[in-house]
């Protein structure tokens, strides 16, 4: 009598991509990676590319900030060299490596010297 109410028919396998449980398990992780790429990784790569271009285009008179927090003014650059001469105080010149420069304030921008 109980077999009368229980259907013995089973659903047919639809096949296709969604029928594969492995793809469904990895779909959230793939989605999270795509979101992280567009929100975190890609903008950081663009900022690094822009900074490298600015470091390559340094010229005399540009105000810079190094990774160590030293603020100075570029006095001389050399083509093909990683070193830049920077004046950090009146009469005090140091050579620094271009890759340590983290911020460049062009000499054309107005400074707030109140």
């Amino acid at each position: 009598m109980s077999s009368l109410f229980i259907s013995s028919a089973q659903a047919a396998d639809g096949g296709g991509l969604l029928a594969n449980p492995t793809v469904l398990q990895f779909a959230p992780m793939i989605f999270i990676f795509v979101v992280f790429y567009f929100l975190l990784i890609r903008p950081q790569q663009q900022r690094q590319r822009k900074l490298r271009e600015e470091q390559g285009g340094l010229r005399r008179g540009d105000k810079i900030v190094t990774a160590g927090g030293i603020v100075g003014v570029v006095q001389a650059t050399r083509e093909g060299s990683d070193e830049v001469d920077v004046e950090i105080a009146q009469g005090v010149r140091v050579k620094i490596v271009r890759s340590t420069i983290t911020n460049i304030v062009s000499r054309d921008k107005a400074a707030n010297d109140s």
Side-chain angles (χ1 to χ4, degrees):
M1 176 97 163
S2 66
S3 65
L4 195 73
F5 297 111
I6 298 175
S7 175
S8 60
Q10 296 180 0
D13 186 19
L17 185 63
L18 294 178
N20 189 352
T22 307
V23 172
L24 290 176
Q25 285 178 330
F26 289 113
M29 291 185 349
I30 292 169
F31 176 73
I32 290 171
F33 177 77
V34 168
V35 169
F36 269 92
Y37 177 77
F38 282 106
L39 292 179
L40 298 174
I41 298 170
R42 189 166 178 257
Q44 179 65 25
Q45 288 175 341
Q46 290 175 340
R47 280 192 297 268
Q48 287 175 347
R49 186 179 312 119
K50 181 182 174 199
L51 180 62
R52 280 193 306 267
E53 289 172 2
E54 288 177 349
Q55 288 171 347
L58 278 176
R59 57 188 177 153
R60 189 171 194 268
D62 287 345
K63 189 173 182 180
I64 62 163
V65 180
T66 66
I70 297 174
V71 178
V73 177
V74 175
Q75 296 299 314
T77 60
R78 293 173 195 81
E79 291 297 322
S81 176
D82 268 352
E83 295 178 347
V84 177
D85 290 339
V86 176
E87 185 174 36
I88 57 175
Q90 189 172 5
V92 180
R93 280 187 165 186
V94 293
K95 289 184 182 181
I96 63 167
V97 180
R98 284 184 197 259
S99 61
T100 62
I101 298 171
T102 58
N103 192 8
I104 301 168
V105 181
S106 179
R107 63 180 166 172
D108 299 332
K109 293 184 181 176
N112 188 6
D113 294 333
S114 40

